[in-house]
Amino acid sequence: MIFEDQSIVDRTVRAVLRDVLSLPPGRVAAFRDDTPLFGALPELDSMAVAGVLTELEDRLAILIEDDEVDGEMLETFGALVAFAARKATV
């Protein structure tokens, strides 16, 4: 599935973070591209990362290989959205 509109990916990533991490909708809605994630959100620990990535795979119909997962892609909200958008357009 190819997502031409990055806003769809943005909304999906927000929904996944909200649902998997049980974050309040207002908090997730306030995320900007430079909002730090891994290391800054206590809810996003190493176990939660697996859940977030699995849910992104399911909702965006993508496959994330283990060797693609690194701290850089999880550093900020914008980095995660950009990663997911790249995967969704391959």
Side-chain angles (χ1 to χ4, degrees):
M1 181 180 302
I2 296 177
F3 293 91
E4 298 295 332
D5 185 353
Q6 187 164 341
S7 67
I8 293 170
V9 176
D10 181 285
R11 288 193 306 270
T12 302
V13 172
R14 287 179 195 277
V16 166
L17 291 173
R18 184 190 65 233
D19 297 347
V20 173
L21 304 179
S22 301
L23 297 174
R27 184 175 176 198
V28 176
F31 285 177
R32 300 181 331 196
D33 283 348
D34 63 349
T35 299
L37 295 180
F38 194 70
L41 287 178
E43 299 88 351
L44 187 60
D45 59 17
S46 56
M47 292 301 294
V49 167
V52 166
L53 297 179
T54 299
E55 196 62 26
L56 285 174
E57 287 180 321
D58 291 347
R59 293 189 193 191
L60 294 173
I62 61 176
L63 178 62
I64 301 171
E65 300 291 344
D66 290 343
D67 64 349
E68 295 176 306
V69 179
D70 60 25
E72 191 173 297
M73 69 169 284
L74 294 163
E75 186 174 0
T76 63
F77 176 73
L80 184 56
V81 170
F83 172 81
R86 282 191 306 274
K87 293 298 291 183
T89 58
V90 173

